[in-house]
Amino acid sequence: MGYYLNSNKVYSLYESEVRKPYFVDKTKMLADLITLVEQGNNHICITRPRRFGKSVMASMIGAFFSKGFDSSAIFDSLKIAGNMKYRTHLNQHDVIYIDFSEAANISSNYQDFIGCITKILQEDLREAFPEVKFWEKAAIVQDLRKIHEKTGTSFIFVFDEWDCIFHKKYTTKDDKESFINFLASLTKGTGYVSLSYMTGVLPIAKYSSGSTINHFSEYTMATDDKFSEYFGFTEAEVDKLYRCYEKNVTNRNVSREDLRFWYDGYHTPLSERMYNPRSVVLALDRNRIRSYWTSTGPYSEISAYISSNIDGVKKDVALMVAGEAVPADVEEFAATAMHLSTKDEIFSAMVVYGFLNYEDGKVHIPNKELMDEFAKTIRREAGLGYIYNLAHASERMLQATLNGDTKVMEEILEYAHNTEVPLLSYNNETELTAIVNLVYLSARDWYYVEREQRAGKGYVDFIFYPIRPGDDGIILELKVDDTPEAALRQIKDRNYALKFQGKIAEKKRHTGRILLVGIGYDRKSKQHRCQIEQV
């Protein structure tokens, strides 16, 4: 066993995953890869946001195929064991597994990075094939070709985090081009490759000039359904994990609804719902719902693009924070390592990094975990102007609602309407809904805010489910060219409180009031009126 060639590292990594209490068996993917290996000379690249299981799958592939060890103790009890070709391929291949982030993190420049990788890999190859006479100054590609010619050996390449070097400050444009050429020389047009499997966040298509690495078939979360079920957790998989959690934990602080509200919201191209896997596992393992997303690096860069308001992006971000989906063309992906010059490119980058979900030609903020990250940005970035001001006004709006101060509520709504750069034309209930969502932004710190949920005999505009026991719940209904009293009548006539009470009963932790809030807007007079009742 070597450092990169048939490394024991992949076995250890995947074994530790399998033994964790909230493990999801995704080994059926290996059946697809077995077919590709048998065909030979296949090259695929899976691009997904961070924390979507790419590294786990990469270690699974290495642990299954590599002949450096016996991994039957792991895989005999997993789904792939039922495949008729299971034994034919289990630990029967020479696997070169490289996690590029490891070398990138210990290097101070690109030459150190690539030099470390090439030196170690060449040492592995020459040690593993002592019967082959290598040229002293030969390159790795020449060594691989000679091994193949003399022994007939073919290799499976597993490259994890191929794009990590693109995020290093020391990496120049020439370095990036050099790295792309390195990947191409290693895998393209050679007879020794059974399969090249590569993962990363950034799409390779945007970084390959001409035909450099066009031999890779790329599969993205937004546009390609193939392999999508293996990255992220499906609804059924989260159900299974939650049943395991119920058995393992006596004093449970996480509900199944919590997982959906916080970590769901992503979709495959065929509209299958997908959860952020890392966040689900951490929430169950730590018995605590919270944001496990870290908003460093790419998000900081993207937020600068939002503040600069390229192509009117600021308005659409505000709409998404207000709960709306906005049209976007993300077929041609971009990323923060490139210059972003249009709104579509900015939103494409946000989809690539997992900050937005793309579905049916529109992008939106997928869940509470990400909504919290956007809310933090809006409150922090004064350069967002009126959006920043509305977000800070939302703290007063929530307090005024809880205190029954309808006068202050009306003043804040007037401010939102009359802001110097109006968010919307503000002439229908949908637009009023967007504004109200924004002026209640701070409520997301204390409530699960849901929109247009079926309740009683119809749909209610907003329900605020309190996170803390003892806090007041809020049911809010909006009316354009009608009165707040009419809004309150609709809440009561249609028994919207039944939905609220049902959710609270499910959580078994609410002891506060339920406030009914009616908001009316008159387009002719351009005035807002608010009424509050308690039930």
Side-chain angles (χ1 to χ4, degrees):
M1 291 182 290
Y3 196 86
Y4 292 140
L5 176 64
N6 297 322
S7 169
N8 188 57
K9 173 185 176 180
V10 291
Y11 177 88
S12 300
L13 287 173
Y14 193 64
E15 181 187 36
S16 67
E17 288 296 326
V18 173
R19 291 183 175 180
K20 290 178 180 178
Y22 302 111
F23 167 74
V24 174
D25 184 351
K26 301 275 191 178
T27 57
K28 287 180 66 177
M29 182 182 184
L30 292 167
D32 293 328
L33 299 185
I34 285 172
T35 300
L36 297 179
V37 168
E38 290 182 341
Q39 294 171 351
N41 195 32
N42 276 300
H43 312 269
I44 64 175
C45 180
I46 309 287
T47 55
R48 289 295 187 277
R50 288 184 176 86
R51 308 168 188 88
F52 265 75
K54 299 186 301 298
S55 293
V56 172
M57 298 303 286
S59 62
M60 176 194 75
I61 293 165
F64 177 78
F65 285 110
S66 176
K67 62 170 58 173
F69 36 79
D70 178 8
S71 59
S72 58
I74 297 177
F75 291 100
D76 279 353
S77 61
L78 300 179
K79 292 177 182 178
I80 188 59
N83 186 281
M84 60 183 298
K85 296 183 178 180
Y86 170 62
R87 291 291 173 188
T88 304
H89 291 275
L90 179 67
N91 305 132
Q92 298 300 310
H93 299 268
D94 284 292
V95 174
I96 294 174
Y97 175 95
I98 303 177
D99 176 359
F100 287 115
S101 67
E102 181 184 53
N105 291 335
I106 62 174
S107 301
S108 57
N109 57 65
Y110 175 75
Q111 293 306 319
D112 286 347
F113 163 78
I114 201 68
C116 174
I117 291 171
T118 54
K119 180 180 179 181
I120 293 174
L121 179 54
Q122 196 158 45
E123 288 178 354
D124 282 355
L125 293 171
R126 296 190 175 196
E127 183 178 336
F129 297 93
E131 69 276 22
V132 178
K133 293 183 179 180
F134 296 99
W135 300 310
E136 183 179 350
K137 296 183 179 181
I140 288 177
V141 173
Q142 294 171 311
D143 282 1
L144 288 165
R145 287 178 177 171
K146 199 159 192 181
I147 291 170
H148 181 65
E149 291 170 0
K150 299 298 183 182
T151 69
T153 301
S154 295
F155 296 88
I156 293 175
F157 290 85
V158 180
F159 297 145
D160 193 21
E161 298 199 46
W162 82 269
D163 54 338
C164 65
I165 192 66
F166 283 54
H167 299 289
K168 295 299 180 181
K169 293 182 179 179
Y170 59 69
T171 308
T172 67
K173 182 179 179 180
D174 288 342
D175 292 338
K176 294 172 185 177
E177 184 176 348
S178 175
F179 183 61
I180 291 293
N181 290 333
F182 168 74
L183 293 175
S185 67
L186 205 58
T187 59
K188 187 176 184 178
T190 66
Y192 55 74
V193 177
S194 296
L195 173 70
S196 299
Y197 177 91
M198 189 160 70
T199 75
V201 176
L202 303 181
I204 58 174
K206 280 289 183 180
Y207 293 88
S208 175
S209 59
S211 60
T212 308
I213 50 175
N214 65 353
H215 57 299
F216 277 91
S217 298
E218 186 166 18
Y219 300 92
T220 70
M221 184 164 69
T223 59
D224 297 285
D225 190 63
K226 188 174 177 62
F227 299 119
S228 62
E229 65 184 288
Y230 305 120
F231 298 89
F233 289 164
T234 65
E235 195 78 36
E237 288 168 343
V238 176
D239 285 342
K240 186 176 180 180
L241 290 179
Y242 193 76
R243 288 193 294 271
C244 179
Y245 168 75
E246 289 178 313
K247 292 179 182 178
N248 293 342
V249 179
T250 303
N251 298 316
R252 294 185 293 274
N253 296 317
V254 178
S255 73
R256 179 63 181 84
E257 182 67 12
D258 286 335
L259 297 178
R260 182 197 67 77
F261 196 74
W262 277 78
Y263 311 124
D264 188 15
Y266 297 96
H267 295 81
T268 70
L270 293 181
S271 294
E272 182 177 14
R273 292 167 63 176
M274 299 297 289
Y275 289 67
N276 181 320
R278 177 178 180 271
S279 296
V280 169
V281 168
L282 287 175
L284 296 178
D285 188 59
R286 300 181 184 182
N287 194 25
R288 182 184 177 190
I289 283 287
R290 54 164 290 186
S291 176
Y292 294 101
W293 192 277
T294 52
S295 59
T296 57
Y299 190 78
S300 299
E301 296 176 39
I302 288 173
S303 110
Y305 283 105
I306 296 172
S307 296
S308 64
N309 201 28
I310 291 176
D311 200 18
V313 69
K314 189 186 298 185
K315 171 184 173 181
D316 279 354
V317 168
L319 284 172
M320 286 189 283
V321 171
E324 301 295 327
V326 301
D329 180 6
V330 298
E331 291 184 6
E332 292 297 327
F333 288 99
T336 55
M338 303 172 64
H339 175 69
L340 308 180
S341 57
T342 70
K343 182 167 57 179
D344 282 337
E345 287 180 349
I346 293 171
F347 289 159
S348 294
M350 296 172 89
V351 171
V352 165
Y353 285 110
F355 302 123
L356 297 177
N357 180 57
Y358 175 70
E359 186 181 17
D360 297 331
K362 294 183 177 182
V363 290
H364 68 272
I365 300 171
N367 51 43
K368 177 171 171 54
E369 184 173 39
L370 269 299
M371 183 64 79
D372 284 355
E373 295 302 319
F374 277 88
K376 290 176 186 175
T377 298
I378 285 176
R379 293 175 187 171
R380 182 178 62 245
E381 300 292 339
L384 290 172
Y386 69 95
I387 300 172
Y388 169 86
N389 294 333
L390 285 178
H392 282 271
S394 71
E395 297 169 9
R396 292 178 57 224
M397 187 69 172
L398 176 61
Q399 197 57 51
T401 303
L402 296 174
N403 293 337
D405 193 340
T406 56
K407 182 178 179 180
V408 171
M409 293 170 62
E410 291 166 358
E411 288 175 355
I412 294 173
L413 287 168
E414 291 295 329
Y415 167 74
H417 186 195
N418 297 320
T419 183
E420 183 179 349
V421 186
L423 179 62
L424 296 160
S425 57
Y426 211 67
N427 280 324
N428 57 52
E429 192 166 315
T430 299
E431 295 171 352
L432 176 61
T433 299
I435 288 291
V436 168
N437 210 332
L438 196 58
V439 297
Y440 276 101
L441 183 66
S442 68
R444 298 178 186 278
D445 294 337
W446 312 107
Y447 291 88
Y448 300 140
V449 182
E450 295 192 356
R451 291 186 49 199
E452 294 293 340
Q453 295 295 304
R454 179 170 288 281
K457 300 175 182 176
Y459 289 89
V460 59
D461 285 327
F462 292 94
I463 299 184
F464 294 62
Y465 297 110
I467 295 173
R468 302 182 307 183
D471 282 359
D472 297 332
I474 302 170
I475 301 175
L476 192 151
E477 185 68 22
L478 309 171
K479 290 292 182 183
V480 172
D481 289 335
D482 211 335
T483 65
E485 290 82 6
L488 291 177
R489 281 198 303 272
Q490 181 171 317
I491 293 174
K492 291 181 283 188
D493 291 346
R494 298 189 180 181
N495 293 325
Y496 288 163
L498 292 178
K499 169 71 175 180
F500 186 89
Q501 292 168 345
K503 184 66 66 68
I504 293 303
E506 173 193 323
K507 294 178 178 294
K508 298 179 181 178
R509 58 189 181 190
H510 179 253
T511 58
R513 304 173 298 172
I514 297 177
L515 301 179
L516 312 184
V517 178
I519 297 178
Y521 172 67
D522 188 309
R523 284 183 291 184
K524 192 172 183 179
S525 66
K526 297 184 178 180
Q527 289 185 333
H528 303 78
R529 288 186 56 229
C530 303
Q531 287 291 325
I532 298 176
E533 291 186 11
Q534 176 184 337
V535 296

